[in-house]
Amino acid sequence: MEPEPDVWDTGMAAAQQYFDDQGHLNVPSNYIDAAGFHLGCWLGYQRALKLAGNLNPARTAALATCR
């Protein structure tokens, strides 16, 4: 259910860049970054996995470190 490692790494890098630029991770669901990564969709999927109890705890912690 979790994304492949390369997609995860790309998503985390995009999330951190968005946070660095915007100061938050309240990303619109249709947001696509300059590299063409669908960050809004990716973050929504990660949040859905977390709510369902299906996101690896290490990945949950990693997402919480975007600051």
Side-chain angles (χ1 to χ4, degrees), residues 22-67:
Q22 304 298 322
H24 62 81
L25 281 179
N26 297 326
V27 181
S29 62
N30 63 348
Y31 179 80
I32 301 171
D33 71 8
F37 186 76
H38 292 251
L39 180 60
C41 182
W42 183 83
L43 276 173
Y45 183 66
Q46 303 314 306
R47 290 174 176 144
L49 286 174
K50 181 182 174 200
L51 285 173
N54 294 322
L55 185 62
N56 179 306
R59 289 186 172 184
T60 299
L63 281 170
T65 64
C66 285
R67 304 258 183 259

Side-chain angles (χ1 to χ4, degrees), residues 8-25:
W8 172 260
D9 293 341
T10 301
M12 281 301 298
Q16 186 61 59
Q17 184 63 54
Y18 187 94
F19 186 88
D20 291 346
D21 294 345
Q22 304 298 322
H24 62 81
L25 281 179

